[in-house]
Amino acid sequence: MAEDLAKWLYLFNRGQDNQSFRRFGAHRVGADQWQFLVWAPHARTVAIVGEFSAWQPVLLTPVGETGCWLGQHPGQAGQLYKVQITTAKGEVVEKIDPYGFAFEKKPGTAARLSDLPAHQWGDAAWLAKRRTQLSYDQPLNIYELHLGSFKRHEDGSYLTYREAIAQVLPYVKEMGYTHLELMPLMEHLLDASWGYQLMGYFAPTSRFGSPADFLALIDAAHQLGLGVIMDWVPGHFIRNTDTLAQFDGTATFEYADPHRADNVRWGTWNFDLGKAQVQSFLLSSAMFWLDWCHLDGLRVDAVSNMLYMDYDAGKEHDRNRNGGRENLEGTAFLKRLNTEVFAAHPDVLMIAEESSDYPQVSAPIDAGGLGFNYKWNMGWMNDTLKYFSTDPYARRQHIDQLTFSWVYMQNEQFILPFSHDEVVHGKKSLMHKMPGDRYNQFANLRTMAVWQMTFPGKKLLFMGSEWGQFLEWRDWSQLEWVDLADPLNAKMQTFTKALNHLYLHTPALWQQDFQGAGITITIGDRPDVIAFERHGKRAGDCLIVALNLLPEERQAFVLPVPAAGTYEVVLNTESARFGGTWTHLQRIVRSRGIPERGRPDSVTVVLPAMGALLLRPLTEKVNLDSHLEVRSDD
């Protein structure tokens, strides 16, 4: 045992232990006996205080020159405890256990004696499928959700993890999403931080239940056919003095340089990503959620903050030892993170929330990249929202805000996000951003949704946007479910469901997202209409997209098509059942035998005002799913 501990601590101190959660913190070593292991390299003494000792210190013993402290004491599962540190200056402070698996409810910060969360998993079929169907040529449509404000009880209390199994998962599945992305559920104190100012890197937040309840939620999602991604924050941590900050009286987890340690933008402390023990800590955190909790991926928050020395306010002139802007240790850590994760789990998703033009974020490391699967396409998102927020007649001069994204759409493996960040802090909800009266706002929103769903790249939408909630997102109350009593909101929800299911059943929209063969642009030089084709891998598998960006119907519009034949209209955003005005729908069109814009043939259609049409070749083998067929409402 002593030899094993020496080996583990050697690896930990070299930044090579990605399973340190199995040894550090509190672990049961007998029926009622617990072992404690704490890293505090500059402490004078380290003790554990808790309910099991009437909050009197239980001294730990230093383990050689490792900077770690070890000891045992009897205790009962669930009892609260903290780490008591005497600093080199003689100050006595109480701190959290950085490796705690469970904590008391806010505002307390004591950990609970807890075994590694245990669960009898029933998701073997899901994991087997995940191993054989990598996401690049599969549908990936993510529903981003903040569990504390999706739904609440009448008294304002949260749904629990167990209640979310019944009240969240079936809804997300029915709406046609493939994955649920949870905003950070690691333990945090401040609701208003939305989980991004963390203290517990190995603990599901106690707000919604126990760690076992959290695992039950993940398992239930998998058994329902939903993947689960969670936001993960390795760049910074909460400032509170009883958490990780100045843990042993010195800069332990953060940079020793206060200027580098201080994260002005978020009011947090930056991890010292070049310190070996911090690397072991963070790598182990990632592995905990992927190994032990069966998560299907991590959306890594604030990657730009880890890539650049000058990203934060007041650091505009910071430079590395070579004179460049790059955070060399941050870049090295991200590569190391992806290397370790994919060595253990080649089938999970590692997603970078990265807002700069840093190259090759989603390229393999051996090709010079950072090694992520995907990068959020923030440029596409910003340009799209800017365009659709503009009055239709004023936007005629700004069509490049949409078409420019074609230039770089395959520079990375992109996810197209309309996330929580775009519907908060005075930015307005997606629906409220749209110009015109209420009818035209929904028409714009439907058309923008088609643009997102048909543009190359995977998809993400924040909760409430699927039915056009008018109010901005508020983390302190549930979504405005009452909106669905309004016919326009209810029909917008129907539209989103239909569009999601169309996406699921249309390989042309996802099989070749990241290959040039996946898209053919047919109309990109007009100020009012955009058209393109999306192609699957099978010959003839095609979806034709036409967007009319002005509130003027286009009669007898000539649309290029890839071949002679018959085409069916599989979606018209102006269908009355979606909130539009069309009650008689053009269902079948035949090619004219006349080439158009370099394509072999063309069809004549009526383009709905401020709307979109989706067409595909009609064959005798087509058997339309009920979700895909756009029926007449007369």
Side-chain angles (χ1 to χ4, degrees):
M1 180 65 182
E3 291 181 0
D4 287 341
L5 180 61
K7 179 185 71 175
W8 296 332
L9 296 186
Y10 173 79
L11 294 174
F12 172 79
N13 280 316
R14 290 178 62 86
Q16 296 175 352
D17 184 2
N18 65 25
Q19 298 288 314
S20 59
F21 62 88
R22 297 180 184 271
R23 292 167 281 274
F24 281 86
H27 290 269
R28 192 193 300 268
V29 291
D32 296 312
Q33 190 77 4
W34 296 78
Q35 178 170 285
F36 301 90
L37 182 62
V38 177
W39 175 59
H42 298 104
R44 183 182 296 177
T45 65
V46 176
I48 302 296
V49 295
E51 291 180 324
F52 45 78
S53 66
W55 296 99
Q56 297 303 303
V58 178
L59 286 173
L60 305 185
T61 302
V63 185
E65 301 298 320
T66 64
C68 299
W69 302 75
L70 182 69
Q72 293 188 12
H73 196 273
Q76 300 291 325
Q79 288 183 313
L80 299 176
Y81 71 98
K82 283 193 169 187
V83 179
Q84 185 186 87
I85 290 176
T86 304
T87 71
K89 295 179 180 179
E91 182 183 6
V92 178
V93 294
E94 288 189 356
K95 294 285 189 175
I96 66 167
D97 178 357
Y99 284 89
F101 297 129
F103 286 84
E104 64 179 324
K105 292 184 181 298
K106 62 173 186 172
T109 59
R112 294 187 181 277
L113 290 179
S114 176
D115 297 303
L116 271 167
H119 183 74
Q120 288 294 112
W121 291 94
D123 63 350
W126 168 265
L127 295 179
K129 179 182 177 182
R130 197 180 78 181
R131 285 191 290 271
T132 59
Q133 294 186 359
L134 298 184
S135 63
Y136 302 113
D137 61 356
Q138 296 295 318
L140 181 56
N141 188 11
I142 303 166
Y143 188 74
E144 187 190 26
L145 183 139
H146 177 258
L147 188 55
S149 58
F150 179 75
K151 282 186 179 180
R152 290 195 177 188
H153 297 292
E154 289 186 5
D155 64 359
S157 60
Y158 302 122
L159 292 183
T160 66
Y161 295 123
R162 298 276 181 178
E163 289 169 333
I165 292 173
Q167 298 192 44
V168 176
L169 299 184
Y171 174 78
V172 176
K173 180 66 175 179
E174 180 186 356
M175 286 297 296
Y177 295 97
T178 64
H179 287 69
L180 179 64
E181 181 171 315
L182 299 166
M183 290 166 68
L185 288 180
M186 294 174 277
E187 195 60 86
H188 58 284
L189 288 175
L190 180 64
D191 286 347
S193 80
W194 312 334
Y196 291 98
Q197 295 190 12
L198 296 168
M199 68 176 196
Y201 276 75
F202 299 85
T205 178
S206 56
R207 284 167 175 77
F208 312 120
S210 69
D213 296 334
F214 174 75
L215 298 187
L217 173 64
I218 306 306
D219 196 2
H222 287 170
Q223 293 186 47
L224 199 59
L226 283 172
V228 184
I229 303 162
M230 190 171 72
D231 288 8
W232 184 66
V233 190
H236 55 92
F237 58 88
I238 193 171
R239 284 186 184 274
N240 295 45
T241 56
D242 59 346
T243 60
L244 298 181
Q246 294 281 304
F247 187 75
D248 65 2
T250 68
T252 311
F253 289 90
E254 66 271 39
Y255 287 102
D257 178 356
H259 177 71
R260 295 199 67 186
D262 186 13
N263 192 310
V264 178
R265 187 185 301 267
W266 291 297
T268 53
W269 292 120
N270 291 318
F271 280 108
D272 182 350
L273 298 175
K275 185 178 291 186
Q277 297 88 346
V278 172
Q279 292 173 9
S280 288
F281 176 80
L282 290 173
L283 292 172
S284 296
S285 173
M287 289 299 187
F288 172 80
W289 298 101
L290 296 171
D291 285 349
W292 205 260
C293 301
H294 286 208
L295 287 182
D296 299 286
L298 300 175
R299 178 268 203 185
V300 181
D301 184 63
V303 168
S304 298
N305 184 62
M306 292 181 276
L307 291 177
Y308 295 106
M309 300 280 291
D310 61 354
Y311 182 76
D312 197 11
K315 302 180 181 180
E316 292 82 1
H317 304 294
D318 287 10
R319 294 294 181 266
N320 62 38
R321 61 179 177 269
N322 301 322
R325 300 173 56 216
E326 296 79 15
N327 180 342
L328 300 179
E329 59 266 34
T331 303
F333 171 75
L334 290 169
K335 292 180 180 180
R336 174 81 181 284
L337 168 69
N338 287 321
T339 298
E340 299 259 345
V341 164
F342 289 126
H345 300 286
D347 53 345
V348 302
L349 306 178
M350 292 296 288
I351 301 166
E353 188 266 316
E354 204 283 303
S355 56
S356 76
D357 59 355
Y358 192 95
Q360 294 187 289
V361 172
S362 58
I365 292 169
D366 58 9
L370 290 182
F372 287 94
N373 299 98
Y374 296 105
K375 171 182 173 175
W376 275 20
N377 193 336
M378 309 294 272
W380 175 93
M381 177 272 296
N382 283 314
D383 286 346
T384 294
L385 291 179
K386 186 182 299 183
Y387 179 86
F388 277 97
S389 298
T390 303
D391 178 87
Y393 290 100
R395 69 171 65 141
R396 291 174 62 94
Q397 307 305 315
H398 302 288
I399 191 67
D400 61 304
Q401 290 174 343
L402 297 187
T403 58
F404 177 67
S405 53
W406 281 331
V407 174
Y408 64 87
M409 62 185 170
Q410 286 163 353
N411 287 0
E412 301 274 3
Q413 292 167 168
F414 282 122
I415 288 177
L416 311 178
F418 290 137
S419 75
H420 66 278
D421 276 330
E422 311 316 315
V423 295
V424 74
H425 294 329
K427 294 181 182 178
K428 303 180 182 179
S429 67
L430 291 190
M431 201 281 284
H432 196 186
K433 294 178 195 288
M434 300 297 105
D437 59 19
R438 187 162 165 80
Y439 174 83
N440 280 291
Q441 285 180 318
F442 277 102
N444 269 275
L445 189 58
R446 292 191 298 269
T447 304
M448 188 175 76
V450 169
W451 173 246
Q452 179 196 32
M453 198 60 71
T454 58
F455 194 92
K458 308 309 182 183
K459 325 298 176 185
L460 179 142
L461 187 70
F462 184 60
M463 64 182 194
S465 301
E466 71 271 23
W467 73 73
Q469 175 169 304
F470 182 81
L471 290 180
E472 277 190 341
W473 170 54
R474 301 172 300 179
D475 66 271
W476 62 87
S477 65
Q478 71 172 7
L479 295 177
E480 296 290 309
W481 293 97
V482 67
D483 286 352
L484 293 174
D486 183 299
L488 282 175
N489 289 109
K491 289 181 178 182
M492 183 68 204
Q493 185 187 50
T494 297
F495 169 78
T496 303
K497 179 178 177 180
L499 185 62
N500 286 348
H501 282 274
L502 186 150
Y503 171 77
L504 284 176
H505 292 83
T506 307
L509 288 177
W510 36 263
Q511 277 189 338
Q512 300 194 97
D513 270 324
F514 311 116
Q515 288 82 45
I519 183 170
T520 301
I521 298 165
T522 56
I523 301 177
D525 57 355
R526 293 180 53 142
D528 55 346
V529 175
I530 284 177
F532 54 94
E533 302 163 4
R534 292 298 312 277
H535 300 280
K537 292 181 178 179
R538 181 172 55 83
D541 186 1
C542 174
L543 186 76
I544 299 159
V545 182
L547 289 81
N548 180 8
L549 301 166
L550 288 181
E552 300 172 359
E553 187 172 278
R554 304 292 181 195
Q555 295 281 341
F557 187 86
V558 176
L559 184 64
V561 293
T566 303
Y567 292 81
E568 59 176 337
V569 178
V570 294
L571 187 138
N572 180 332
T573 60
E574 276 295 293
S575 167
R577 76 185 184 102
F578 297 149
T581 60
W582 285 39
T583 57
H584 296 273
L585 301 175
Q586 188 177 23
R587 299 285 302 283
I588 302 296
V589 294
R590 291 176 175 80
S591 62
R592 303 161 63 231
I594 303 173
E596 179 72 15
R597 288 178 169 260
R599 301 304 283 158
D601 214 322
S602 55
V603 296
T604 301
V605 297
V606 179
L607 279 186
M610 189 49 62
L613 291 182
L614 301 182
L615 299 85
R616 67 181 176 192
L618 179 65
T619 69
E620 294 181 0
K621 295 180 180 180
V622 168
N623 178 20
L624 284 176
D625 183 274
S626 61
H627 292 299
L628 307 188
E629 186 176 9
V630 179
R631 301 181 184 277
S632 171
D633 291 274
D634 58 340

